[in-house]
Amino acid sequence: MPLLARSVQTPLHIEVRRGAVADLGKILADGRISSGGEVAVVVGPGLGEKVVDLLRPSLTSAEIFVTGGGTLDAALELSNKLRSGHFDAVVGIGGGKTVDTAKYAASRWGLPMVSVATSLANDGIASPVASLINDGIKGSYGVHIPFGVVVDLDFVENGPELVNRAGIGDVISNISALADWELARQVRGEPVDGLAASLARMGAEAVLTMPGDMSDDAFVTVLAEALISSGLAMAVCGSSRPSSGGCHEIMHAIDSLYPATASHGELAGMGALFCTFLRGDERRLKQMSDCLARHQLPRTPSDVGLDADQFVQVIEFAPRTRPDRYTILEHLAMTPEQTRQKLAEYNDVIASL
Ligand SMILES: [Zn+2]
């Protein structure tokens, strides 16, 4: 009997709207995740009190845990605390650090995890990956995909605008990551997962051309859904391939060599634009450049404070951040001199767009 279809693990419940945090008790009950609200709620030090005030009326039996730092140590400490209670699920509420800490801690005991995103900084909201710092280095740890994914637009609206806008860069970097995947198929015969590619592509194409900005609910909803689809794409193929190519190698290299230069999404967007230039795809370059400019996101190394020498080092180092991932950077294998030349051309082209 041939296998006629595949089973895909996805969250049971996805909800993007205003007022979601206040309705969390109902969302957990309706989603068959916790009928009585016996859950561990994990919050960051910043948002903690506000979130707890909103939650309490609908989640009277919840136990609150405060975590900070986004480190592997913090996740292990949280995981040890979770062991002492009996919880239906772990609910991580906050930005990437808090959600990823909760994801990792829940995954360790096989507890269902609900991701409640209060910002749209990157595609970690629904992904089966926790990005945590260990010994000063950011690592990606495989975890179970969240059972529920909730985005509360009230929090997104009141959060730091740049943090949320950065998610746009992370989403549109999928276009470059998918081009890298296709290149790896052509050059090395690497299989491309069509379903994963489609999930990663659709949201990116929507965000790339959709009018509106972070003050527009329709745009913010599409951005949130695109970030969720990116996470699902990674879950479907069991790797970050659909959402991470040369763009993310550049981002990881900058993070390693020049920490705290800019956020994940800002650097992924800029890296994607540079990789698209290297591919010589003029139509895509113009589309992506327009999108990043429209949302005031960085497009060139100098926009994030890196000079030519530093960027040449970044491109040298980039392939080492994801060994065996074939992208336009490995394909061209440019010498430092060639990179310097390409960067000069790139800066001229971007300035003329
Ligand atoms: Zn990313």
Side-chain angles (χ1 to χ4, degrees), residues 11-32:
L12 286 166
H13 194 92
I14 291 181
E15 191 141 341
V16 179
R17 65 171 169 92
R18 291 181 176 276
V21 168
D23 287 347
L24 208 54
K26 189 170 180 314
I27 291 172
L28 293 175
D30 290 353
R32 308 273 192 277

Side-chain angles (χ1 to χ4, degrees), residues 41-53:
V41 171
V42 181
V43 291
L47 277 176
E49 275 172 37
K50 189 179 171 199
V51 167
V52 172
D53 285 350

Side-chain angles (χ1 to χ4, degrees), residues 200-236:
R201 189 174 345 260
M202 284 188 296
E205 293 285 0
V207 169
L208 190 63
T209 51
M210 186 171 177
D213 58 24
M214 294 306 297
S215 64
D216 172 359
D217 269 18
F219 179 83
V220 178
T221 302
V222 167
L223 174 61
E225 289 175 346
L227 291 166
I228 292 169
S229 299
S230 274
L232 297 185
M234 292 187 248
V236 160

